Amino acid sequence: MVYIGFDVGGTGVQVGIVSKEGEILCKGGIVTRTNIPFADQIKAMADCALVTLAKSGYSLDDVAAVGAGIPGVVDPRTGHIAFCPNLGWKDVDFAGEMRKHIDKPVFMDNDATVAGLAESVAGVSAGTHSSVFLTLGTGVGGGIVLGGKVWSGFHGIGSEIGHMI
């Protein structure tokens, strides 16, 4: 089985086909287009993922799930995005829209949160009990891992350090 991973950013969307061991098997990407409707943005992302999947030699039957890191306020339990300022999304159902094109389970969270988790598992902070990870890109974000678990605060935005006053 393989997984489709999206790193959604303000200037580009990166796609990876990843093995269950975490090895990136194939990469793709598109430019982020904020001048088209949300549904068209998701279709473009899904199309890119399917092209990348075909390049990898795998088929949709081989895909176990889709994962996405989204730069904004995300509810990972529902697949709903409350607000994604870089892409102009507000109150959208990312998971539901993605499943229209790739009918697989969709898992998602804030992009900096998942980056922080990835670093705590397989990156520079692997083997540590707790860590703080900062992202600097189109925006500023953070991922906090405490006791080996993601800490997102009461409303899921506790590590959104780029949006603090």
Side-chain angles (χ1 to χ4, degrees):
M1 296 307 283
V2 297
Y3 301 86
I4 297 173
F6 289 101
D7 178 7
V8 180
T11 57
V13 177
Q14 304 306 312
V15 178
I17 307 304
V18 183
S19 73
K20 65 181 180 179
E21 294 79 26
E23 177 188 0
I24 299 173
L25 304 171
C26 194
K27 296 179 186 179
I30 57 173
V31 173
T32 300
R33 294 184 52 208
T34 58
N35 62 334
I36 60 176
F38 168 74
D40 294 343
Q41 292 174 356
I42 300 306
K43 182 176 182 336
M45 291 170 55
D47 289 347
C48 178
L50 294 173
V51 166
T52 306
L53 182 65
K55 275 190 349 187
S56 75
Y58 290 93
S59 74
L60 208 47
D61 291 336
D62 299 312
V63 175
V66 174
I70 309 288
V73 181
V74 174
D75 186 339
R77 296 164 297 169
T78 65
H80 182 262
I81 298 171
F83 186 51
C84 178
N86 295 350
L87 283 80
W89 298 345
K90 187 172 183 183
D91 295 322
V92 294
D93 181 11
F94 178 90
E97 195 64 36
M98 183 59 72
R99 280 192 300 267
K100 291 179 182 178
H101 307 286
I102 302 175
D103 190 20
K104 298 291 180 177
V106 176
F107 299 92
M108 54 188 272
D109 207 332
N110 174 269
D111 60 344
T113 298
V114 296
L117 179 60
E119 286 297 329
S120 75
V121 171
V124 296
S125 53
T128 63
H129 187 259
S130 300
S131 60
V132 175
F133 181 78
L134 304 178
T135 61
L136 302 172
T138 304
V140 178
I144 301 171
V145 176
L146 298 174
K149 295 183 179 168
V150 167
W151 182 84
S152 297
F154 185 73
H155 293 289
I157 57 171
S159 61
E160 278 293 301
I161 62 168
H163 297 277
M164 290 182 176
I165 296 173

